[in-house]
Amino acid sequence: EKGGYEHFMLKEIHEQPRAVRDTIGAYVKDGKIDLSETGLTDEKLQEIERIYIVACGSAYHVGMVGKYVIEELADIPVEVDLASEFRYRNPKLVKNSLVVIVSQSGETADSLAALRLAKERKIPVLGIVNVVGSSIARESDYILYTYAGPEISVATTKAYSTQLIAMYLLAIQAAKVKDVISEERYAALIEELGTLPEKIQKTLDDKERIQWFASKYANAKDVFFIGRGIDYAISMEGSLKMKEISYIHSEAYAAGELKHGTISLIEDGILVVGVATQAALFEKTISNMVEVKSRGAYLMGLTTYGNYNIEDTADFAVYVPQTESFFATSLAIVPLQLMGYYVSVAKGLDVDKPRNLAKSVTVE
Ligand code: M6R
């Protein structure tokens, strides 16, 4: 059942090119996005003036990426909330808005409660859900299914990757119907989307290097992940993967926040992972990497091919293929998933069933 892999997590990491291809294939036809199957027609999408993305855990991290992508591409203001916060804080939901609930299982108690709150307030809900017929799928007004297939490992990988695709689809289509991008740009984005499965496969082909690095750092006590913009969102997910299955304390920090407190924790030998996939923020993040390095950190740098000068600062560099800046998350997350996985394996832990965690959190 593990298809020759030692753990479900490794199998599911390797299924990502297929999962992403299937999710794109379900909604892209003849070079155009068609969301009609979800119920969210172009006419309805055009009327949306604000989006609230609400989720837990990794699905919340997808929401953070969604915020950057939707705001930047479609020019719609987006708020992202943790479901457990949203449901108890009497959120101000404006009219002509859309609540997006992201959930692999479709059964997460807090996310379901957030959905019900939105519906009570008469705000339409789009569910981005993997499990067909789950509670969130049934109660959503519109439903965009991801096609990850069954995910067994507690640590999500392929479901996360397909949820990112859902965000890109929503952002690109909203940009189109609101007429804020040109036909050429629309076509180019969809074409680039289609290259992601192959590029994800390329990052997987590099896994031996990550395995080597992970086993070297398996005894680390603390790891910090830093990045800006979308790279901060990637850092949050990389950090969660690390702590959830490797039991290593890790934190993600917006790189620019380091000097407001966290940098005091940096000392000799502390592992810092600097994520710098965004060209516009590259130099800024590098300067934060220089700051931690000069305080003794051991630095892993994660960027795209071509940015080889990261090696002037990073002790260990990992490259992912170049893509549209918005889509970089889909590639950069793969080495971070592998890092979490191989550290967990090196420590002899129960990778697929980490202590104290459940696959689906049906109690609040
Ligand atoms: O089923 P859901 O997507 O609603 O689950 C949300 C979180 O519980 C989930 O993403 C959790 O953070 C994962 N274990 C992370 O790998």
Side-chain angles (χ1 to χ4, degrees):
E1 52 177 2
K2 289 180 197 152
Y5 291 99
E6 206 184 329
H7 299 99
F8 282 110
M9 184 177 177
L10 191 61
K11 172 173 178 263
E12 289 162 4
I13 287 174
H14 281 86
E15 283 172 348
Q16 290 182 113
R18 195 273 311 145
V20 162
R21 187 176 298 115
D22 286 355
T23 305
I24 297 171
Y27 302 103
V28 176
K29 284 154 200 145
D30 302 325
K32 289 193 166 54
I33 295 171
D34 179 2
L35 296 179
S36 54
E37 186 184 302
T38 68
L40 186 59
T41 57
D42 286 353
E43 292 71 36
K44 288 176 182 151
L45 194 52
Q46 199 173 15
E47 285 165 16
I48 293 164
E49 288 166 13
R50 188 175 289 264
I51 294 178
Y52 305 92
I53 305 175
V54 187
C56 303
S58 296
Y60 169 76
H61 299 152
V62 169
M64 291 181 60
V65 177
K67 176 180 168 71
Y68 289 110
V69 178
I70 295 169
E71 288 192 338
E72 189 76 19
L73 265 180
D75 206 20
I76 303 173
V78 178
E79 287 178 33
V80 193
D81 263 286
L82 291 164
S84 55
E85 290 293 315
F86 180 88
R87 65 178 293 195
Y88 291 121
R89 79 172 166 83
N90 189 15
K92 300 290 163 251
L93 306 178
V94 299
K95 61 176 192 332
N96 296 331
S97 62
L98 175 74
V99 168
V100 179
I101 306 279
V102 188
S103 177
Q104 186 286 128
S105 64
E107 300 296 348
T108 301
D110 284 320
S111 304
L112 183 58
L115 177 155
R116 290 178 177 158
L117 185 151
K119 290 191 76 176
E120 261 165 42
R121 306 273 183 94
K122 308 267 184 286
I123 305 294
V125 173
L126 167 68
I128 296 178
V129 174
N130 194 47
V131 177
V132 177
S134 56
S135 303
I136 293 173
R138 279 186 279 114
E139 294 190 29
S140 294
D141 299 292
Y142 314 123
I143 174 79
L144 195 165
Y145 279 116
T146 50
Y147 288 86
E151 193 179 62
I152 309 294
S153 177
V154 165
T156 181
T157 52
K158 62 176 180 168
Y160 168 89
S161 285
T162 57
Q163 289 161 353
L164 289 176
I165 299 299
M167 284 299 165
Y168 306 154
L169 292 169
L170 185 62
I172 299 168
Q173 194 62 5
K176 164 139 197 277
V177 300
K178 287 193 171 277
D179 215 11
V180 291
I181 55 170
S182 66
E183 285 291 328
E184 295 73 46
R185 178 88 171 114
Y186 180 75
L189 284 165
I190 293 173
E191 200 188 326
E192 183 60 26
L193 202 57
T195 68
L196 289 178
E198 187 191 310
K199 290 179 179 172
I200 293 173
Q201 186 58 51
K202 267 216 170 94
T203 64
L204 285 169
D205 294 343
D206 242 10
K207 69 177 181 218
E208 272 79 23
R209 279 188 80 230
I210 304 287
Q211 181 171 17
W212 169 82
F213 184 74
S215 43
K216 193 168 147 195
Y217 266 86
N219 294 322
K221 288 223 334 260
D222 306 278
V223 186
F224 293 90
F225 293 78
I226 60 170
R228 290 168 182 260
I230 288 181
D231 292 330
Y232 174 43
I234 302 172
S235 297
M236 304 267 297
E237 178 60 7
S239 171
L240 180 59
K241 288 280 92 76
M242 182 62 87
K243 70 183 89 173
E244 139 176 82
I245 53 172
S246 309
Y247 313 156
I248 293 178
H249 166 247
S250 72
E251 283 187 49
Y253 252 79
E257 268 293 293
L258 276 176
K259 49 167 82 71
H260 299 283
T262 310
I263 203 160
S264 65
L265 294 170
I266 304 297
E267 55 184 9
D268 264 352
I270 294 262
L271 177 59
V272 176
V273 180
V275 185
T277 67
Q278 304 293 299
L281 298 164
F282 186 76
E283 293 305 328
K284 294 276 173 208
T285 303
I286 292 288
S287 69
N288 298 121
M289 288 166 66
V290 169
E291 283 160 7
V292 292
K293 178 148 179 163
S294 70
R295 286 161 180 86
Y298 188 85
L299 208 65
M300 167 173 152
L302 175 55
T303 187
T304 52
Y305 280 103
N307 289 329
Y308 303 117
N309 59 342
I310 202 166
E311 290 181 38
D312 298 342
T313 316
D315 300 288
F316 178 70
V318 175
Y319 300 98
V320 294
Q322 287 177 357
T323 183
E324 226 354 286
S325 62
F326 300 117
F327 303 156
T329 318
S330 293
L331 307 180
I333 197 56
V334 176
L336 301 184
Q337 294 169 340
L338 289 166
M339 269 252 286
Y341 173 76
Y342 283 120
V343 170
S344 181
V345 170
K347 292 177 79 168
L349 300 174
D350 191 351
V351 178
D352 288 329
K353 285 201 177 63
R355 67 187 179 203
N356 309 339
L357 291 171
K359 179 65 182 161
S360 152
V361 184
T362 53
V363 290
E364 67 168 298

